[in-house]
Amino acid sequence: MAKIKMTTPLVEMDGDEMTRILWAMIKDKLITPFVDLKTEYYDLGLLYRNETKDQVTVDAANATKKYGVAVKCATITPNKQRMEEYPQLTEMWKSPNGTIRSILDGTVFRAPICIDAIKPVVKNWKKPITIARHAYGDVYKSVDFATTEPGVATLTFKGESGEEKSVVVQKTDGPTVWQGAHNKAKSIRSFARACFQYAIDTKQDLWFSTKDTIAKVYDGEFKKIFEEEFVDYKAKFDELGIEYFYTLIDDAVARVIRSEGGYIWACKNYDGDVMSDMVSTAFGSLAMMTSVLVSPDGTTEYEAAHGTVTKHYYKHLKGEKTSTNSMATIFAWSGALKKRGELDGLTDLVDFGNKLEEACFDTLNDGIMTKDLVGLVEPGFKATAVNSEEFLDAIAERLAKKLA
Ligand code: NAP
Ligand code: MG
């Protein structure tokens, strides 16, 4: 069988620990036997990031801007403990995801991968719910302090023009805590555009929620910017028969729980943090979740939502078999290959991505699963736990049949 051709390279970002092991196995077993794979390879493994003083992360992000599509393996974000584990580190390098996100100016979309044998905790959820999380500002870039005596706090802005704006936050009679937060119109606008574009790409309704009845100016600005940006997308929404609507966050929560799923829920940074954990837990697990970073110009970076699965890696190093779930990483590859195929007009490549996902579903539906999923299946469904390699072999076998 002739291998499927590619014209433009994918930006490939390798990573760390167990996911790096899975990465190589996925390529060997599921991709390169069928696709004449073209990638521009960047090693984002911690040691090479250290060797290049993290320049490799910046280079990978810039290459993504150039080519438009990337696939990324999970990576270690060093902390104090990692500095002891890897004494050769010259600096506590920043999170690669954070660096890439700020260069691509993106929004993160996360959606559960659903199978019949694992039912969401919320009984009426029939289709995936995608969370679009704004990844800049608010409480994540806020400043705060505590005071102990009576007094008054004011919020003051000094413009470069010399103009000043000031407001009394509160006059207080005793110990008090304070916080100052901000967001930038430019970032909110990018968030809005990424959400509208993603709704069009995936042909799903878009919901957006804030608390503008309370934060009238702050959240009101989010609502207003979304309305302004929607003007550019409205015709396309009408053509596709999809809808955009805005509602209060508390109303959204009630509607989400009562819904069947099948839409995108755009959330401010903090709401997105909390709600994406709620949605992913209710649907099953982080290893059954797709994650894609989309920038306003349509540049995409596909990744897994989970980390590098350190505990499994240390078992693997001792020569023990692990049962690590590779679904999220495989779907990062299939998502990226399909996107590349769409952009380059390669229907065979798009078809391959779809078949690869189907082969994954067939494997799970046949009851062949990694350990983490076996515990989640409905009573009566027969599931057998296999190791990391056996799981990929089972998918490869089904994929080969589909492509034959
Ligand atoms: P983690 O790698 O997601 O793993 C936490 C636990 O969740 C694992 O020990 C395992 O539980 C389970 N798990 C996660 N993914 C799994 C999979 N694919 N298959 C089976 N079980 C899975 O999170 P972590 O241990 O907190 O973080 C490890 C490293 O990952 C850190 O250095 C962190 O910086 C990095 N990280 C990277 C990313 C990213 O690049 N996208 C995201 C988050 C964290 P059991 O041990 O009980 O089986
Ligand atoms: Mg969180």
Side-chain angles (χ1 to χ4, degrees), residues 17 19 22 72-79 82 97 110 286-287 303-312 323-328 370 372:
E17 300 193 316
T19 41
L22 293 178
K72 180 184 171 290
C73 181
T75 45
I76 292 171
T77 298
N79 53 14
R82 294 291 196 178
N97 292 337
R110 290 197 166 163
L286 268 191
E303 59 182 9
H306 58 77
T308 57
V309 213
T310 312
K311 277 193 221 151
H312 294 212
S323 183
T324 317
N325 190 338
S326 46
M327 283 290 289
T370 44
D372 55 314

Side-chain angles (χ1 to χ4, degrees), residues 79-87:
N79 53 14
K80 250 186 84 191
Q81 187 199 331
R82 294 291 196 178
M83 299 300 283
E84 285 158 20
E85 188 181 348
Y86 295 92

Side-chain angles (χ1 to χ4, degrees), residues 102-245:
S102 71
I103 293 173
L104 297 182
D105 185 18
T107 299
V108 179
F109 295 88
R110 290 197 166 163
I113 303 167
C114 303
I115 57 165
D116 287 343
I118 301 173
K119 296 260 184 281
V121 174
V122 181
K123 292 275 173 285
N124 43 288
W125 286 358
K126 303 270 185 289
K127 293 181 231 161
I129 296 168
T130 303
I131 299 277
R133 175 183 170 187
H134 187 206
Y136 177 83
D138 305 345
V139 71
Y140 300 86
K141 278 228 181 265
S142 68
V143 290
D144 51 8
F145 57 62
T147 55
T148 52
E149 60 168 329
V152 61
T154 56
L155 181 66
T156 306
F157 171 79
K158 287 193 173 94
E160 282 184 356
S161 67
E163 205 188 326
E164 260 193 40
K165 203 167 180 174
S166 200
V167 64
V168 171
V169 177
Q170 186 68 42
K171 195 167 173 249
T172 183
D173 54 6
T176 305
V177 284
W178 310 89
Q179 184 174 65
H182 81 284
N183 219 306
K184 294 182 183 179
K186 184 169 175 249
S187 176
I188 302 168
R189 220 167 274 286
S190 295
F191 172 43
R193 297 188 78 85
C195 289
F196 291 128
Q197 191 56 50
Y198 196 73
I200 288 168
D201 288 349
T202 60
K203 300 179 188 61
Q204 297 186 90
D205 290 346
L206 176 69
W207 303 13
F208 179 44
S209 58
T210 74
K211 191 73 179 177
D212 70 301
T213 43
I214 301 300
K216 287 189 169 61
V217 174
Y218 198 109
D219 284 10
E221 197 63 19
F222 277 78
K223 182 181 176 185
K224 193 184 96 202
I225 288 174
F226 265 69
E227 270 163 23
E228 285 168 7
E229 293 301 320
F230 184 54
V231 172
D232 290 348
Y233 299 89
K234 180 153 190 333
K236 194 74 196 168
F237 268 58
D238 291 345
E239 189 189 313
L240 293 172
I242 56 174
E243 190 189 7
Y244 164 64
F245 80 91

